[in-house]
Amino acid sequence: MGEPGSGLPAERGKARDDAGGVAAGGVAAGGVAAGGVAPGGVAPGGVAPGGARAPGHPAADRRWLAEAVELSRRCPQSSTAFSVGAVLVDAHGEVIAAGYSRAADPRDHAEEVALRRARDAGASLAGATLYSSLEPCLRRASRPASCAELIAASGLRRVVIAWREPPVFQPGGGGVWLERRGVTVVEVPDLAERARAVNAHLLGA
């Protein structure tokens, strides 16, 4: 999702994670840290409460995506960026890493944070799924690579989202871009309203 020119706070460019993100290695109080998450969040090695947990199972996909939406509620509100949560889950249904917008660095995006933490931990992403409360951005001004590009470069082959990026700040298109490169993108529309509610102040709601 696009974002403001210098970092994110300067212009209206980023639609999602501008004023912050979760920094690798730790975050401000209440944020998601590399070794775990705040109460109620998903910790690396943890699983969704009850039921199926392996990505690809409809119930598991919905549970993990719901966790990503809950993480997005922790983002400090911004008038120039969407609030986004992301959870990386391995093929067995265990959390590899998680992140959300605007927790520590205004340039960090939720997906970027989760991917960076996984990389820093030396975790394998083979067979993993990335759950994001919003479609990964295709354009951004804060850093050279968009979230869609970072996902493609990581080797991930599956992404699950709650809703497509609306053209509030920048046109979306990250999901289609990923699909054209062989990444499976699954949309779970019954969670879209929850994800939109976190960003209601940006949607005129």
Side-chain angles (χ1 to χ4, degrees):
M1 347 269 42
E3 81 217 38
S6 49
L8 296 168
E11 334 175 345
R12 269 184 110 205
K14 172 76 222 189
R16 347 158 2 127
D17 312 301
D18 107 32
V22 184
V27 300
V32 180
V37 298
V42 182
V47 300
R53 67 183 193 176
H57 187 291
D61 280 346
R62 193 178 189 287
R63 286 177 183 277
W64 290 122
L65 186 56
E67 291 288 354
V69 174
E70 286 307 306
L71 282 176
S72 74
R73 297 181 189 282
R74 298 180 189 175
C75 305
Q77 194 175 89
S78 170
S79 62
T80 57
F82 286 121
S83 293
V84 183
V87 181
L88 261 174
V89 182
D90 73 14
H92 304 293
E94 295 190 349
V95 174
I96 298 171
Y100 66 87
S101 312
R102 292 182 300 284
D105 188 317
R107 297 168 298 175
D108 279 341
H109 291 193
E111 303 96 321
E112 175 183 36
V113 171
L115 288 168
R116 183 169 64 227
R117 287 180 173 169
R119 179 201 65 204
D120 291 348
S124 170
L125 297 183
T129 293
L130 175 67
Y131 295 88
S132 180
S133 61
L134 182 62
E135 175 185 38
C137 66
L138 182 57
R139 297 172 183 80
R140 65 186 293 186
S142 61
R143 286 182 175 145
S146 69
C147 287
E149 291 170 324
L150 292 172
I151 289 167
S154 75
L156 278 170
R157 308 307 294 165
R158 189 167 186 271
V159 175
V160 179
I161 62 173
W163 61 317
R164 302 275 173 173
E165 179 180 11
V168 175
F169 305 101
Q170 295 271 351
V176 171
W177 187 90
L178 285 168
E179 289 174 324
R180 288 174 178 165
R181 284 153 182 79
V183 178
T184 297
V185 178
V186 178
E187 190 171 359
V188 182
D190 64 320
L191 289 178
E193 190 51 44
R194 283 195 213 175
R196 280 194 291 264
V198 181
N199 296 283
H201 63 292
L202 301 174
L203 305 173

